[in-house]
Amino acid sequence: MEIIVQTKTKHYPIYISPEGLEKLTNLIQQNEYTKLLVITDETVGPLHLDTLLSALPKEADYSVYTVPSGEKAKQMAVYESCLTFALQEGLDRKSCVIAFGGGAVGDLAGFVAATYMRGISFLQVPTTILAHDSAVGGKTAINHPLGKNMIGAFHQPDAVMYYTGFIKTLPEHEIRSGFAEAVKHALIADPKLLNMMMSSIDSLGDLTDEQLVQILQRGMEIKANVVSIDEKESGLRAILNLGHTLGHVIEASLGYGKTTHGEAVMVGLVYALHLSRAVLNLSFPVGKFTNWAIQLGYTMEIPKELTFAEAYAGMQRDKKTVAKQPRFVLLEAPGKPVVKEVDKTILEEVFQQLKQQNKKTV
């Protein structure tokens, strides 16, 4: 299965395969990279590194660098250590970085590639459901203590190689994390997919291979279409941030890695749906949606220790904010997203309502 991402600066393929990484071997041979740097993490490396290395051409000159798992990888010190290793290993401007892991490794490795010698090639080989979103579109970044993904660059990969066999080893919380991004894609662009998911998926542990491939393919198609129109998030691409404004605040408030990105985003999605109902009169069963998320294992709570004042300060640092006025992705209806400023009073009212409800729905 192949999807083409076409942007103003580059076009590249996404390959989705349940069989293996044959396309990776061919692509490396075609591009004649002088050296490969595989960046992976402490979780993925022991599980799958041998599979990746077996797919490299026999003549390939490569090195492997292992970083901490999850959001701990996206620290300035880790980023610097990757650059130091690349220099020590002799990577040049015709070398290539291979991002091998989940979304965090992809963000880090992509940023390393974007900035090493002012930019070298990189390949995305994602191993999680979450990475079906983050691996596509060329957003690369590391975190700052005051905000998620605040230090980064747009740098498109040469290709995305998605081998679905890697997903079979994911723990439940990582499946939840990735599935939240798939739900986001359905909310902004595919009501039929959303209806299918809500009506037929009662447990993430019972996801069939057919359902998973359908969801991944459609999510990547939606992301590719948006990125093709708006590569550097000057307008339309912001809709892909549905649920992320509060989601990123929750991640930062708990400490990166204390909850998964997708689990925080799912809370942010519910917050955005309630805001959409308050601001745009959204007609959508938010309570039913919330109950479904709880049934799938999501903890639908804003952290008790997070005050609105702290949350609002985090919202003001969001990349969609203009002149310190937070802007949110809202829905006029499923499949009809808009980006709007929301009055602070409404933001606080909905925030406090959700804090009081905890796992109750309205």
Side-chain angles (χ1 to χ4, degrees), residues 268-341:
L269 288 175
V270 170
Y271 183 59
L273 290 173
H274 280 284
L275 290 175
S276 299
R277 194 161 65 176
V279 176
L280 300 173
N281 296 314
L282 170 69
S283 177
F284 180 79
V286 183
K288 179 181 178 181
F289 178 89
T290 307
N291 283 331
W292 176 61
I294 292 170
Q295 181 181 350
L296 295 179
Y298 293 92
T299 303
M300 302 305 295
E301 297 181 5
I302 295 175
K304 294 178 181 178
E305 62 273 21
L306 179 62
T307 67
F308 176 73
E310 293 168 334
Y312 189 74
M315 294 172 191
Q316 289 179 305
R317 289 191 288 269
D318 183 87
K319 292 184 289 297
K320 296 183 297 301
T321 293
V322 176
K324 296 189 176 180
Q325 296 298 314
R327 299 165 76 234
F328 278 75
V329 182
L330 304 179
L331 295 182
E332 294 180 339
K336 295 184 178 180
V338 295
V339 181
K340 291 182 69 67
E341 289 185 10

Side-chain angles (χ1 to χ4, degrees), residues 18-287:
E19 276 120 32
L21 292 168
E22 295 83 2
K23 292 286 188 181
L24 178 63
T25 309
N26 297 336
L27 191 71
I28 291 172
Q29 290 174 328
Q30 291 169 8
N31 284 282
E32 299 181 343
Y33 302 119
T34 53
K35 189 175 180 69
L36 305 172
L37 170 58
V38 179
I39 297 181
T40 190
D41 68 28
E42 296 167 343
T43 299
V44 172
L47 289 171
H48 303 304
L49 183 59
D50 287 345
T51 301
L52 176 75
L53 297 182
S54 68
L56 302 182
K58 292 182 180 179
E59 68 276 11
D61 182 11
Y62 70 87
S63 299
V64 177
Y65 192 71
T66 303
V67 299
S69 299
E71 293 295 320
K72 292 180 181 178
K74 294 170 60 174
Q75 302 179 65
M76 183 66 75
V78 177
Y79 162 69
E80 183 179 359
S81 70
C82 290
L83 293 174
T84 300
F85 185 79
L87 287 165
Q88 292 171 339
E89 292 297 303
L91 269 73
D92 59 35
R93 299 195 72 179
K94 293 186 178 181
S95 297
C96 178
V97 175
I98 299 178
F100 185 53
V105 166
D107 284 352
L108 168 71
F111 188 44
V112 170
T115 51
Y116 185 79
M117 294 188 175
R118 297 190 178 93
I120 63 173
S121 294
F122 87 110
L123 297 169
Q124 287 273 17
V125 186
T127 61
T128 66
I129 298 175
L130 178 64
H132 90 279
D133 177 77
S134 59
V136 178
K139 274 188 175 182
T140 72
I142 57 175
N143 298 331
H144 187 279
L146 294 179
K148 185 178 171 74
N149 296 332
M150 286 297 173
I151 305 166
F154 289 95
H155 189 58
Q156 302 294 343
D158 286 0
V160 180
M161 311 285 183
Y162 206 118
Y163 169 44
T164 57
F166 291 138
I167 295 171
K168 297 183 186 300
T169 60
L170 289 176
E172 187 175 342
H173 68 274
E174 285 294 344
I175 294 174
R176 281 197 301 271
S177 184
F179 191 77
E181 290 285 1
V183 172
K184 175 203 74 177
H185 287 135
L187 280 166
I188 63 173
D190 196 334
K192 289 183 179 179
L193 177 63
L194 179 64
N195 289 336
M196 182 281 285
M197 294 165 79
M198 291 183 66
S199 63
S200 63
I201 299 174
D202 301 321
S203 167
L204 295 182
D206 295 332
L207 267 176
T208 66
D209 289 344
E210 183 180 359
Q211 287 173 326
L212 182 59
V213 170
Q214 178 187 358
I215 291 167
L216 292 175
Q217 178 188 358
R218 187 67 188 115
M220 286 180 160
E221 288 173 346
I222 291 167
K223 182 77 177 278
N225 287 339
V226 173
V227 170
S228 295
I229 297 169
D230 181 14
E231 180 179 5
K232 297 190 175 180
E233 204 168 353
S234 58
L236 177 66
R237 188 168 177 171
I239 67 173
L240 295 168
N241 284 145
L242 179 68
H244 285 60
T245 307
L246 179 61
H248 284 169
V249 169
I250 290 173
E251 285 186 88
S253 71
L254 291 175
Y256 296 122
K258 297 294 178 62
T259 187
T260 66
H261 171 70
E263 288 172 309
V265 164
M266 186 62 87
V267 179
L269 288 175
V270 170
Y271 183 59
L273 290 173
H274 280 284
L275 290 175
S276 299
R277 194 161 65 176
V279 176
L280 300 173
N281 296 314
L282 170 69
S283 177
F284 180 79
V286 183

